[in-house]
């Protein structure tokens, strides 16, 4: 059991690192690298925390946000919608992340 706990902690740490890299790459304007990093964070967070966890929802929203910036609207919309759904259930409709991804979703629907 201790080895499983250590493995989960390692994957949580890796997910955090990939998420932070995504933020940095996005800030630098390297959207392809940001998307790859956020996707890695999403995959790890889904495995460690589960599909409905707020950390998973935020990573999913970041994937959708970068997809929208890359004009990948057909991919971005369902990811943003799922992020909004997860965050509404786990954090509430008024939470800043819920509102942020909802605004992005509404903006993206215009494309």
């Amino acid at each position: 059991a201790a080895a499983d706990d250590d493995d989960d902690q390692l994957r949580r740490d890796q997910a955090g690192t990939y998420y932070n890299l995504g933020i940095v790459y996005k800030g630098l304007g390297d959207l392809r690298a940001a998307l790859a990093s956020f996707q890695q964070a999403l995959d790890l967070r889904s495995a460690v925390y589960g599909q409905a966890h707020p950390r998973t929802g935020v990573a999913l929203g970041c994937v959708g946000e970068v997809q929208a910036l890359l004009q990948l609207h057909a991919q971005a919309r369902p990811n943003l919608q799922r992020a909004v759904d997860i965050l509404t259930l786990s954090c509430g409709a008024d939470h800043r992340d819920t509102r942020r991804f909802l605004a992005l979703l509404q903006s993206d629907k215009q494309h």
Side-chain angles (χ1 to χ4, degrees):
D4 287 343
D5 290 345
D6 289 347
D7 190 46
D8 280 351
Q9 184 59 52
L10 177 62
R11 291 194 297 175
R12 282 192 292 273
D13 291 347
Q14 288 173 330
T17 299
Y18 279 115
Y19 179 80
N20 290 335
L21 281 170
I23 291 170
V24 170
Y25 284 131
K26 184 176 165 245
L28 292 172
D30 189 343
L31 297 179
R32 297 255 170 226
L35 181 58
S37 295
F38 284 135
Q39 186 64 57
Q40 285 285 337
L42 174 60
D43 293 345
L44 287 162
R45 285 181 173 184
S46 294
V48 174
Y49 296 112
Q51 296 287 323
H53 194 279
R55 287 180 188 233
T56 303
V58 169
L60 184 57
C62 290
V63 167
E65 178 181 17
V66 174
Q67 287 170 328
L69 291 169
L70 288 166
Q71 308 298 312
L72 302 172
H73 300 291
Q75 295 171 40
R77 275 186 216 100
N79 288 330
L80 289 168
Q81 183 62 64
R82 180 74 181 122
V84 168
D85 292 345
I86 291 167
L87 293 167
T88 298
L89 288 172
S90 59
C91 301
D94 291 332
H95 191 273
R96 70 176 189 275
D97 289 328
T98 309
R99 290 196 322 261
R100 173 178 161 219
F101 294 125
L102 182 58
L104 288 167
L105 178 62
Q106 290 168 339
S107 169
D108 193 66
K109 283 183 177 175
Q110 298 169 10
H111 297 282

